[in-house]
Amino acid sequence: MERVESVEESVEKLIELYEASCDLAREVIASGDYSGYDAVRYPKIAVEVTQWVPVDRREPFGYVDEAGTYSATLSRPDLMASYLTNQLRALCSNYPCEIRVGYSDTRIPPEYIRGIKGLSEVRASYADSVPRPTLDDVHDGIIDGEWDSFHGAEKPLFHFGPQRFDIACARIEHYTGIPVDTVQRYILFTNYAMHTREFVAFGLRAMEKPDSRYTRLVLPSGEVEPGENPGDVDLGSPRQMPRYDLVTEDGDGITMINIGVGPSNAKTITDCLAVLRPEAWIMIGHCAGMDGRMRIGDLILGNAYERHDNLLDAHIRRDQPIPAVPEIQRTLEKTVERIYGEDPSLMRTGTVLSTGDRNWEWKSPQELWNWLRGSTAAAVDMESCTIAANGYRYRVPYGTLLAVSDLPLHAVPKLPAAAQVFYSNSKEAHVMCAVKAMEKLAKNPERLRTRKLRRTIGEVPFR
């Protein structure tokens, strides 16, 4: 590996090496002589912290517990260039460091390289010299703090290996219908097409402003031009989780994804998005209100999460608390006050209980009593706890703003006619609360980069 003198040079070199590998892969596959594919490898960066020194106790990232070599084998450094630059600057400003960049020992499967044709013929010929995507290298050992990941000759610098990164990007495109390149750093999740329509309408209005920071609006159906009538925009998509990217030049715009219903979808998409290191993600959805004093349309700002979804139990113990992120809580609360007015009865903070059973309210009265006895849940939904727990796990700040759509314990079940009236009356204000909160957070992202989600042990230098 070659020593480089600056952070900027190291990131440029990573990009150069990766692009050279991709170009070589295309040439080799096109030629039919696969013997040259052995040189198609992911780039690697190694940072040697030559001396440990105490750092400012307020540092949210860019610090280590001891001197040594910290390394990462990376995919798509072009996509992560800004992130890599900022993280390396933080680390190298805190400690005396030496940076080396070169090729790793890990080959890039051609399935993860754009512009390669004829892969079916390559596979048919069983070209042993061309690696296949392997799930053996796809894991979250670093994220989950596994012993072996942190006790080798080199410690991890980044949270993910390259094939874990690549398969996540491929699945984002598969599920959402848009290549990963325009995913923004502030992400909203919803269950409803009506929310995405309101978001697209906002995006079109915002892009028409002379001083707008937004440059593009990218949908599964294609890019939308400013000035287009929102009602004429095609929001239809055959994809399971259609995505809508309101893009800025530096990537701090807003992405909205309709994840559908259920904790499994919530885990699937957040498992993938985490590799892009978003600044924050927030769930805006509907919930069952648990208090008879509530009204349809009331808002619940989740400040605790009671996990009955079971999906992440193998990664996060059920007795491990998932704390609220105060920076997101305060921002959401202020935007609700600004949009709805300062009616203190409209919104309450409270525990959100998430279940994998959509028909949980069909339990018998005694079963419901035993299930909820002792719970302080103000709301029940299916996705919020998964999104919060995976945010906690992946160190991505998270939040939840839910609207009460039914009161099943108080003889107000969700039925079609009443639901449609509620949807019509609440959708725009609900979406705008989350959008304006994200815009406010984007103005000062340093507020989100706190120590709250850092681990005591098993942590990497990067955010």
Side-chain angles (χ1 to χ4, degrees):
M1 295 178 71
E2 177 185 346
R3 183 172 176 179
V4 293
E5 296 302 322
S6 71
V7 165
E8 290 74 17
E9 183 185 350
S10 68
V11 175
E12 290 172 4
K13 185 68 174 177
L14 287 168
I15 295 171
E16 176 188 323
L17 293 175
Y18 178 78
E19 291 180 348
S21 274
C22 293
D23 289 342
L24 177 60
R26 297 182 191 103
E27 293 172 9
V28 167
I29 296 298
S31 72
D33 178 7
Y34 307 134
S35 59
Y37 203 94
D38 187 63
V40 178
R41 298 176 181 272
Y42 291 105
K44 177 179 177 179
I45 183 169
V47 179
E48 183 181 355
V49 178
T50 58
Q51 180 185 1
W52 187 91
V53 294
V55 300
D56 188 329
R57 64 172 63 89
R58 295 167 297 180
E59 289 285 349
F61 50 79
Y63 61 87
V64 296
D65 292 330
E66 59 183 354
T69 301
Y70 296 78
S71 66
T73 299
L74 299 169
S75 182
R76 293 298 307 272
D78 58 314
L79 187 64
M80 303 295 286
S82 175
Y83 169 85
L84 293 171
T85 301
N86 291 335
Q87 302 308 302
L88 287 168
R89 280 177 182 162
L91 183 60
C92 293
S93 65
N94 283 334
Y95 307 97
C97 294
E98 295 179 2
I99 305 176
R100 288 179 171 79
V101 174
Y103 280 116
S104 70
D105 296 331
T106 307
R107 296 185 296 167
I108 309 175
E111 284 83 356
Y112 295 139
I113 299 175
R114 292 178 180 175
I116 290 185
K117 300 178 180 179
L119 267 180
S120 57
E121 289 80 2
V122 174
R123 295 308 181 201
S125 66
Y126 200 70
D128 291 337
S129 55
V130 178
R132 295 175 179 271
T134 171
L135 295 179
D136 292 345
D137 296 327
V138 175
H139 59 80
D140 278 340
I142 299 172
I143 277 290
D144 291 331
E146 293 180 1
W147 176 270
D148 290 345
S149 296
F150 286 85
H151 292 83
E154 297 178 355
K155 297 178 176 62
L157 186 66
F158 184 55
H159 310 77
F160 303 97
Q163 287 211 44
R164 168 67 169 85
F165 188 98
D166 278 339
I167 198 169
C169 290
R171 288 191 175 175
I172 290 170
E173 181 172 350
H174 170 73
Y175 283 114
T176 69
I178 309 176
V180 71
D181 306 65
T182 55
V183 173
Q184 300 297 285
R185 292 197 290 271
Y186 297 85
I187 301 173
L188 297 176
F189 300 114
T190 181
N191 311 113
Y192 294 98
M194 63 182 177
H195 286 164
T196 61
R197 186 164 290 282
E198 293 296 332
F199 179 71
V200 167
F202 163 78
L204 289 170
R205 293 193 304 269
M207 286 196 299
E208 289 181 341
K209 296 179 180 179
D211 58 346
S212 177
R213 68 192 190 100
Y214 301 112
T215 59
R216 303 171 63 194
L217 180 57
V218 184
L219 281 59
S221 58
E223 192 163 337
V224 182
E225 296 297 326
E228 192 164 346
N229 185 339
D232 296 335
V233 175
D234 178 15
L235 296 187
S237 173
R239 303 296 179 151
Q240 187 173 347
M241 303 183 210
R243 189 178 100 227
Y244 307 83
D245 296 334
L246 187 53
V247 179
T248 67
E249 289 290 350
D250 58 5
D252 66 347
I254 305 173
T255 283
M256 177 178 276
I257 305 176
N258 182 351
I259 63 174
V261 176
S264 181
N265 281 4
K267 180 180 183 298
T268 296
I269 197 64
T270 50
D271 281 347
C272 297
L273 290 167
V275 303
L276 301 176
R277 309 315 298 146
E279 296 282 4
W281 57 45
I282 292 175
M283 178 70 198
I284 56 168
H286 295 158
C287 66
M290 306 303 284
D291 189 330
R293 294 165 293 183
M294 292 178 178
R295 302 291 184 269
I296 301 300
D298 284 0
L299 297 177
I300 306 294
L301 178 58
N303 69 348
Y305 298 92
E306 189 173 337
R307 294 162 48 209
H308 289 231
D309 46 26
N310 303 123
L311 281 181
L312 290 165
D313 292 359
H315 301 282
I316 306 172
R317 300 190 315 270
R318 282 284 295 274
D319 63 350
Q320 194 161 322
I322 307 298
V325 179
E327 292 78 9
I328 289 182
Q329 298 294 102
R330 288 194 291 266
T331 305
L332 281 170
E333 191 167 10
K334 289 177 181 177
T335 56
V336 169
E337 289 177 358
R338 187 157 60 106
I339 290 173
Y340 281 87
E342 297 187 6
D343 178 2
S345 67
L346 175 70
M347 188 187 75
R348 64 181 286 180
T349 58
T351 299
V352 177
L353 184 158
S354 290
T355 173
D357 180 5
R358 174 58 191 87
N359 298 319
W360 62 268
E361 66 267 46
W362 295 2
K363 299 176 186 287
S364 70
Q366 183 174 355
E367 288 174 322
L368 285 171
W369 179 278
N370 290 331
W371 184 48
L372 296 170
R373 182 180 57 188
S375 174
T376 61
V380 174
D381 81 341
M382 299 186 71
E383 300 84 19
S384 292
C385 288
T386 307
I387 286 169
N390 240 9
Y392 174 84
R393 178 182 171 220
Y394 288 119
R395 291 75 150 170
V396 177
Y398 48 85
T400 297
L401 183 66
L402 304 176
V404 174
S405 61
D406 56 323
L407 300 160
L409 301 186
H410 307 284
V412 187
K414 183 182 287 188
L415 296 174
Q420 292 305 315
V421 172
F422 159 66
Y423 295 159
S424 177
N425 292 338
S426 69
K427 58 186 178 182
E428 182 179 4
H430 191 184
V431 169
M432 292 312 300
C433 285
V435 167
K436 294 301 183 182
M438 286 302 206
E439 288 190 318
K440 189 170 183 179
L441 291 168
K443 290 180 180 178
N444 185 14
E446 296 299 326
R447 294 168 53 201
L448 286 169
R449 297 170 187 171
T450 70
R451 298 161 292 175
K452 296 180 179 67
L453 299 181
R454 302 283 294 189
R455 302 294 189 268
T456 304
I457 57 175
E459 192 55 272
V460 302
F462 283 5
R463 175 180 67 80

